[in-house]
Amino acid sequence: METRPEKASILLIYTGGTIGMIENAETGSLEPFDFCHLEEHVPELKDLGYTVSACPFDPPVDSSDMGPEGWKKIVELIAGHYHGYDGFVVLHGTDTMAYTASALSFMLENLGKPVVLTGSQLPIGVLRTDGKENLITAIEIAAASEGGRPLVPEVCIFFENSLMRGNRTRKVNADNFNAFSSYNYPLLAYAGVHIRYDLSQVYRPALPKPLRPHYEMDRHIALLKLFPGMSMQVVRSVLETPGLKGLVLETFGSGNAPRDEALLSLLKAATDRGLVVVNITQCLGGCVEMQRYETGKRLLEAGVISGYDSTTESAVAKLMFLFGQGMSAAEVKDYMNCSLIGEVTIPAQ
Ligand code: ASP
């Protein structure tokens, strides 16, 4: 298997975040380094033997400031250079990387090349950095091919040792090098001494089609996390937000909510008005099953739809994407009920 083609060319898009920082020797403060001189900071890149071009955001963006504008810029860069490169590595702050990966997976329709997001917990310019390993392995994965075909032609996150489907991933630790997990979908690859791919888990469209980039995301989406004793005033003010089109409702366990009549009638009134309310569990792993308990069934009766085993990040990005395509509430509900790019597991009926 030819997984390390010598001549592969990779476009490295640096958006911002810790990975691209070095310590200023005089002041001791962290500042972004010049990606045009990438090989000075990561001389190991020469040994990989690939052509790596860098394209940094100017100025770099902390991932807390990432959103539809930044996602659009990444999509424009990938679409604009799509035919010139074998794969793409996006360096990104870790804090909202799971949202960006989810959004890109929807915005890059018919993707046929790897888009690997990575970052680090420690800046690339400090001694114990995890950034170099993450960067070098992400580039290897983006370049990996077999018989001229990329091994992982989907949007994914590589972190520490794991390659995960981007729209299945969550940031789960603020300190550990092992900061991301994919609870509801198996790893696409594990990087130990060798990079072991599980190709049976990689998304591959039946018929390759030309890339179809999308740029519009609708911001009229909200996220509401239930907790015991929540005030109905808060629920009402979220549900009655002017212009709101979609809501991700984070519920308990397998999709349960209090059987509070006030809550249920607020939800029913909102779904009757056309708001799309998607039920996502607050648990890290597992699936929403609203039929399982009375407390879930009441949500179904109130017009809430299941988000199955989707992550919150992916459900938010999917709603933004679907409404961004100008779809009606009924169309959005239909698409929430199916997997577009492997983001949910829909149980067989
Ligand atoms: N605040 C940074 C960011 O998300 C942290 C990081 O890069 O990991 O941009």
Side-chain angles (χ1 to χ4, degrees):
M1 183 156 81
E2 174 217 8
T3 57
R4 296 199 50 196
E6 284 292 304
K7 294 272 179 280
S9 59
I10 302 299
L11 182 65
L12 194 65
I13 300 171
Y14 173 61
T15 65
T18 304
I19 192 165
M21 304 270 179
I22 46 164
E23 213 170 65
N24 181 313
E26 279 157 33
T27 63
S29 65
L30 289 175
E31 42 191 57
F33 72 79
D34 182 356
F35 266 79
C36 299
H37 301 121
L38 183 64
E39 284 191 358
E40 277 171 32
H41 301 284
V42 195
E44 295 87 344
L45 285 180
K46 279 196 214 93
D47 299 335
L48 280 175
Y50 306 139
T51 308
V52 179
S53 314
C55 185
F57 271 29
D58 185 18
V61 187
D62 185 288
S63 80
S64 301
D65 292 324
M66 253 304 167
E69 281 310 307
W71 301 337
K72 183 174 167 204
K73 243 163 108 175
I74 302 172
V75 172
E76 279 169 351
L77 282 170
I78 294 174
H81 293 92
Y82 194 65
H83 299 294
Y85 292 90
D86 297 300
F88 301 85
V89 171
V90 179
L91 300 181
H92 195 285
T94 55
D95 293 345
T96 67
M97 192 189 290
Y99 283 96
T100 298
S102 299
L104 294 181
S105 74
F106 301 120
M107 295 166 87
L108 292 165
E109 190 180 341
N110 301 336
L111 182 69
K113 296 187 179 185
V115 173
V116 186
L117 282 84
T118 194
S120 67
Q121 295 285 59
L122 281 176
I124 216 155
V126 307
L127 215 51
R128 286 195 316 110
T129 186
D130 51 332
K132 278 193 185 182
E133 299 283 341
N134 286 349
L135 171 61
I136 290 166
T137 312
I139 291 175
E140 266 203 65
I141 291 166
S145 67
E146 188 179 22
R149 291 174 63 211
L151 284 193
V152 190
E154 59 170 292
V155 177
C156 34
I157 289 183
F158 177 76
F159 219 85
E160 184 69 350
N161 301 103
S162 304
L163 183 70
M164 295 156 278
R165 173 166 297 159
N167 56 32
R168 292 290 196 153
T169 309
R170 316 186 74 169
K171 182 172 181 182
V172 292
N173 200 298
D175 299 324
N176 285 0
F177 287 153
N178 201 350
F180 287 87
S181 274
S182 166
Y183 286 94
N184 285 336
Y185 198 77
L187 296 185
L188 306 182
Y190 184 83
V193 173
H194 302 285
I195 304 177
R196 305 256 180 236
Y197 293 91
D198 184 351
L199 296 182
S200 65
Q201 305 299 344
V202 173
Y203 185 86
R204 235 169 243 286
L207 267 186
K209 294 185 191 148
L211 179 74
R212 194 168 165 225
H214 297 273
Y215 300 103
E216 298 308 322
M217 298 294 265
D218 195 318
R219 292 171 184 262
H220 295 94
I221 307 301
L223 169 60
L224 182 65
K225 181 170 186 160
L226 295 182
F227 60 89
M230 189 168 196
S231 147
M232 284 310 117
Q233 231 176 320
V234 173
V235 176
R236 180 191 300 276
S237 58
V238 173
L239 291 175
E240 294 181 359
T241 304
L244 192 68
K245 295 180 182 169
L247 174 78
V248 172
L249 184 69
E250 277 202 0
T251 58
F252 310 129
S254 55
N256 304 311
R259 274 174 302 170
D260 178 333
E261 289 308 325
L263 171 69
L264 295 164
S265 63
L266 279 173
L267 284 168
K268 176 87 173 63
T271 59
D272 285 348
R273 283 196 306 273
L275 185 73
V276 177
V277 182
V278 185
N279 187 347
I280 301 287
T281 176
Q282 293 177 12
C283 297
L284 289 173
C287 187
V288 161
E289 284 178 78
M290 284 193 279
Q291 301 282 8
R292 193 143 154 207
Y293 296 98
E294 188 56 29
T295 43
K297 274 192 201 146
R298 299 295 302 275
L299 287 179
L300 259 186
E301 286 158 18
V304 173
I305 62 170
S306 177
Y308 304 100
D309 63 349
S310 168
T311 62
T312 294
E313 292 86 338
S314 173
V316 167
K318 190 170 174 180
L319 283 174
M320 285 177 129
F321 171 73
L322 295 174
F323 280 114
Q325 307 315 298
M327 290 184 191
S328 67
E331 288 170 317
V332 168
K333 278 193 203 169
D334 284 347
Y335 281 106
M336 290 307 290
N337 213 12
C338 59
S339 164
L340 297 182
I341 183 83
E343 73 281 7
V344 281
T345 317
I346 310 285
Q349 297 296 318

